[in-house]
């Protein structure tokens, strides 16, 4: 099995219990050396584990190592900073694993945005003040499109028909990919995929009306071909020429 693990924001003890356990079992670890604290590997990895820093590697080189690790070991880890879902560039890595029929799992991690709020001793959601959080970046060598947002709605599954209608009215096409994730990571987790137009009926069909997140956006479209430039062999940065 190959595991994409969120290393957390940096502190050695802010990786998840699951992530730390899998790190200790890994025969090979490919870690994002530009952002991941190496103390995590020193603390949790086996002394005989093969360690590779991906900061200077491109997508093809990373994928080759993942495939090599899969052939040699029962556990191979791709260690990303924070949580892999935020700027992790994991989609193209996953596509290669799926193409080669290699099994994988994703282990979420604590994002630095939550560590920053903790350091400031505050919260992002204050009743009557703010109930939305925009996660973005400034465009640089890689443009940051401002016309396409991924949306996650908390505390809204009981009003899913209204939620989807308002999203269609304000922003999205009815055909926009959407999903409902009930009790994410629990033993009775349920995942329902559809579109903004079909999701309310699917929620009713599967009896989901609480404890679920509504996720909306083109990031849910598995046919998207666009790739990150982070590991593109023709894209240089401070760690790779």
């Amino acid at each position: 099995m190959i595991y994409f693990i969120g290393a957390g924001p940096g502190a050695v003890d802010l990786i998840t219990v699951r992530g730390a356990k899998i790190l200790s079992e890994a025969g090979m670890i490919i870690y994002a050396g530009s952002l991941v604290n190496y103390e995590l590997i020193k603390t949790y990895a086996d002394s005989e584990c093969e360690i590779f820093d991906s900061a200077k590697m491109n997508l093809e080189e990373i994928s080759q190592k993942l495939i090599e690790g899969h052939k040699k070991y029962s556990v191979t880890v791709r260690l990303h900073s924070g949580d892999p879902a935020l700027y992790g560039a994991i989609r193209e890595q996953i596509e290669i694993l799926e193409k080669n029929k290699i099994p994988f799992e994703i282990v979420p991690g604590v994002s630095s945005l939550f560590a920053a709020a903790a350091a400031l001793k505050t919260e992002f959601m204050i009743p009557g003040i703010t109930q939305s959080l925009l996660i973005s970046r400034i465009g640089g060598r890689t443009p940051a499109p401002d016309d396409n947002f991924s949306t996650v709605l908390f505390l809204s599954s009981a009003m899913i028909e209204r939620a989807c209608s308002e999203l269609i009215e304000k922003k999205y096409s009815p055909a926009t990919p959407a999903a409902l994730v009930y009790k994410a990571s629990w033993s009775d987790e349920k995942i329902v995929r559809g579109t903004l137009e079909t999701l309310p009926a699917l929620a009713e069909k599967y009896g989901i009306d609480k404890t679920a997140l509504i996720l909306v956006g083109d990031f849910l479209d598995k046919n998207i071909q666009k790739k990150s430039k982070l590991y593109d062999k023709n894209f240089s940065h401070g760690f790779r020429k």
Side-chain angles (χ1 to χ4, degrees), residues 48-227:
E48 297 183 3
C49 180
E50 289 192 74
I51 310 294
F52 298 95
D53 182 353
S54 67
K56 297 182 179 180
M57 300 165 69
N58 60 45
L59 177 62
E60 288 74 16
E61 292 168 335
I62 293 169
S63 301
Q64 183 179 354
K65 284 298 177 188
L66 290 174
I67 293 169
E68 178 186 323
H70 173 66
K71 291 177 178 178
K72 292 173 66 176
Y73 305 107
S74 59
V75 174
T76 297
V77 167
R78 178 71 173 110
L79 188 62
H80 283 270
S81 61
D83 182 280
L86 293 177
Y87 304 108
I90 63 172
R91 188 183 181 109
E92 51 260 46
Q93 299 173 65
I94 287 171
E95 287 176 354
I96 291 172
L97 296 183
E98 289 179 333
K99 186 177 180 180
N100 286 276
K101 295 182 170 54
I102 294 175
F104 67 91
E105 289 184 11
I106 300 174
V107 179
V110 179
S111 170
S112 58
L113 73 93
F114 302 118
L120 292 167
K121 296 180 172 60
T122 189
E123 61 178 305
F124 291 116
M125 309 306 174
I126 302 174
I129 301 298
T130 176
Q131 291 291 284
S132 299
L133 174 64
L134 174 64
I135 300 171
S136 189
R137 64 173 181 81
I138 299 299
R141 293 170 64 202
T142 302
D146 59 3
D147 60 346
N148 196 342
F149 290 92
S150 302
T151 297
V152 180
L153 296 182
F154 286 73
L155 307 173
S156 302
S157 55
M159 301 174 285
I160 189 168
E161 188 166 353
R162 173 185 161 191
C164 291
S165 294
E166 288 188 8
L167 288 172
I168 291 171
E169 180 182 339
K170 294 178 180 178
K171 168 66 182 172
Y172 293 102
S173 157
T176 303
L180 196 60
V181 180
Y182 170 77
K183 296 179 77 170
S185 84
W186 291 49
S187 59
D188 55 346
E189 172 188 279
K190 292 181 185 177
I191 298 173
V192 177
R193 290 177 178 266
T195 66
L196 268 179
E197 188 173 42
T198 64
L199 203 62
L202 290 169
E204 183 177 1
K205 177 181 177 180
Y206 292 102
I208 300 174
D209 60 3
K210 60 183 177 181
T211 329
L213 296 177
I214 302 170
L215 299 91
V216 182
D218 289 335
F219 73 98
L220 292 168
D221 185 352
K222 291 190 173 184
N223 295 315
I224 289 177
Q225 298 299 313
K226 194 143 183 95
K227 291 182 170 59

